[in-house]
Coordinates of all heavy atoms in Angstrom, one line a residue:
D819 N 15.1 -13.6 -6.5 CA 15.0 -12.7 -5.3 C 14.2 -13.5 -4.3 O 12.9 -13.5 -4.3 CB 14.4 -11.4 -5.7 CG 14.3 -10.5 -4.5 OD1 14.9 -10.8 -3.4 OD2 13.7 -9.4 -4.6
T820 N 14.8 -14.2 -3.4 CA 14.1 -15.0 -2.4 C 13.9 -14.3 -1.0 O 13.3 -14.9 -0.1 CB 14.9 -16.3 -2.1 OG1 16.2 -16.0 -1.6 CG2 15.0 -17.1 -3.4
T821 N 14.4 -13.1 -0.9 CA 14.4 -12.4 0.4 C 13.3 -11.4 0.5 O 13.0 -10.9 1.5 CB 15.7 -11.7 0.7 OG1 16.0 -10.8 -0.3 CG2 16.8 -12.8 0.8
R822 N 12.7 -11.0 -0.7 CA 11.7 -9.9 -0.7 C 10.5 -10.3 0.1 O 10.0 -9.5 0.9 CB 11.4 -9.5 -2.1 CG 10.4 -8.4 -2.2 CD 10.0 -8.0 -3.6 NE 9.2 -6.8 -3.6 CZ 8.8 -6.2 -4.7 NH1 9.2 -6.6 -5.9 NH2 8.0 -5.2 -4.6
E823 N 9.9 -11.4 -0.2 CA 8.6 -11.8 0.4 C 8.8 -12.0 1.9 O 8.0 -11.4 2.7 CB 8.1 -13.1 -0.2 CG 6.7 -13.4 0.3 CD 6.1 -14.6 -0.4 OE1 6.6 -14.9 -1.5 OE2 5.1 -15.2 0.1
P824 N 9.8 -12.7 2.4 CA 10.0 -12.7 3.9 C 10.2 -11.4 4.6 O 9.6 -11.1 5.6 CB 11.2 -13.7 4.1 CG 11.3 -14.4 2.8 CD 10.8 -13.5 1.8
A825 N 11.0 -10.5 3.9 CA 11.2 -9.2 4.5 C 9.9 -8.4 4.5 O 9.6 -7.7 5.5 CB 12.2 -8.4 3.7
E826 N 9.1 -8.5 3.4 CA 7.8 -7.7 3.4 C 6.9 -8.3 4.4 O 6.2 -7.5 5.1 CB 7.2 -7.9 2.0 CG 6.0 -7.0 1.7 CD 6.3 -5.5 1.7 OE1 7.5 -5.2 1.5 OE2 5.4 -4.7 2.0
R827 N 6.8 -9.6 4.6 CA 5.9 -10.1 5.6 C 6.3 -9.7 7.0 O 5.5 -9.3 7.9 CB 6.0 -11.7 5.6 CG 5.1 -12.3 4.5 CD 4.8 -13.7 4.8 NE 6.0 -14.5 5.2 CZ 6.7 -15.2 4.3 NH1 6.3 -15.2 3.0 NH2 7.7 -15.9 4.6
A828 N 7.6 -9.7 7.3 CA 8.1 -9.3 8.7 C 7.9 -7.8 8.9 O 7.4 -7.5 10.0 CB 9.6 -9.6 8.8
V829 N 8.1 -7.0 7.9 CA 7.9 -5.6 8.1 C 6.4 -5.3 8.3 O 5.9 -4.5 9.1 CB 8.5 -4.7 7.0 CG1 8.1 -3.3 7.1 CG2 10.0 -4.9 7.0
E830 N 5.6 -6.0 7.5 CA 4.1 -5.8 7.6 C 3.6 -6.3 8.9 O 2.7 -5.7 9.5 CB 3.4 -6.6 6.5 CG 3.5 -5.9 5.1 CD 2.7 -4.6 5.1 OE1 1.5 -4.6 5.3 OE2 3.3 -3.6 4.8
A831 N 4.2 -7.3 9.5 CA 3.7 -7.8 10.8 C 4.0 -6.8 11.9 O 3.3 -6.9 12.9 CB 4.4 -9.2 11.1
A832 N 4.9 -5.9 11.7 CA 5.1 -4.9 12.7 C 4.2 -3.7 12.6 O 4.3 -2.8 13.4 CB 6.6 -4.5 12.7
R833 N 3.4 -3.6 11.5 CA 2.5 -2.5 11.4 C 1.5 -2.5 12.5 O 1.1 -3.5 13.0 CB 1.8 -2.6 10.1 CG 2.6 -2.1 8.9 CD 1.8 -2.3 7.6 NE 0.5 -1.6 7.6 CZ -0.4 -1.6 6.6 NH1 -0.1 -2.3 5.5 NH2 -1.5 -0.9 6.7
L834 N 1.2 -1.3 13.0 CA 0.3 -1.2 14.2 C -1.0 -1.8 14.0 O -1.7 -2.4 14.9 CB 0.1 0.3 14.6 CG 1.4 1.0 15.1 CD1 1.0 2.4 15.7 CD2 2.1 0.2 16.2
S835 N -1.5 -1.8 12.7 CA -2.8 -2.3 12.4 C -2.8 -3.9 12.5 O -3.9 -4.5 12.6 CB -3.3 -1.9 11.0 OG -2.4 -2.3 10.0
R836 N -1.6 -4.5 12.5 CA -1.5 -5.9 12.6 C -1.2 -6.4 14.0 O -1.1 -7.6 14.3 CB -0.4 -6.4 11.7 CG -0.5 -6.0 10.2 CD -1.6 -6.6 9.5 NE -1.8 -6.2 8.2 CZ -1.2 -6.8 7.1 NH1 -0.4 -7.8 7.3 NH2 -1.4 -6.3 5.9
V837 N -1.1 -5.5 14.9 CA -0.8 -5.8 16.3 C -2.0 -5.7 17.2 O -2.8 -4.8 17.0 CB 0.3 -4.8 16.9 CG1 0.7 -5.1 18.3 CG2 1.6 -4.8 16.0
P838 N -2.2 -6.6 18.1 CA -3.4 -6.5 19.0 C -3.4 -5.1 19.7 O -2.4 -4.6 20.1 CB -3.2 -7.6 20.0 CG -2.3 -8.6 19.3 CD -1.5 -7.9 18.4
T839 N -4.6 -4.6 19.9 CA -4.8 -3.2 20.4 C -4.0 -3.0 21.7 O -3.4 -2.0 21.9 CB -6.2 -2.9 20.5 OG1 -6.9 -3.1 19.3 CG2 -6.4 -1.5 21.0
A840 N -4.1 -4.0 22.6 CA -3.5 -3.8 23.9 C -2.0 -3.8 23.9 O -1.4 -3.4 24.8 CB -4.0 -4.9 24.8
E841 N -1.4 -4.3 22.8 CA 0.0 -4.4 22.8 C 0.7 -3.3 21.8 O 1.9 -3.4 21.6 CB 0.5 -5.8 22.3 CG -0.1 -6.9 23.2 CD 0.3 -6.7 24.6 OE1 1.4 -6.2 24.9 OE2 -0.5 -7.1 25.5
R842 N -0.1 -2.4 21.3 CA 0.5 -1.4 20.4 C 1.3 -0.4 21.2 O 0.9 0.1 22.2 CB -0.6 -0.7 19.7 CG -1.3 -1.5 18.6 CD -2.5 -0.8 18.1 NE -3.2 -1.7 17.1 CZ -4.4 -1.5 16.7 NH1 -5.1 -0.4 17.1 NH2 -5.0 -2.3 15.8
P843 N 2.5 0.0 20.7 CA 3.3 1.1 21.3 C 2.7 2.4 21.0 O 3.2 3.1 20.1 CB 4.7 0.9 20.7 CG 4.4 0.3 19.4 CD 3.2 -0.6 19.5
A844 N 1.6 2.8 21.7 CA 0.9 4.0 21.3 C 0.9 5.1 22.4 O 0.2 6.0 22.2 CB -0.6 3.6 21.0

């Protein structure tokens, strides 16, 4: 399974806690 880790990283990178405060869609 070579796609799990890249998918998990990409989805995690979109979490609001990983986004600079000024750029969050809040």
Side-chain angles (χ1 to χ4, degrees):
D819 183 6
T820 60
T821 60
R822 178 177 185 176
E823 187 175 342
E826 188 66 23
R827 279 201 310 266
V829 173
E830 283 292 302
R833 283 177 57 180
L834 295 187
S835 59
R836 305 293 177 89
V837 180
T839 304
E841 303 305 326
R842 290 172 183 166

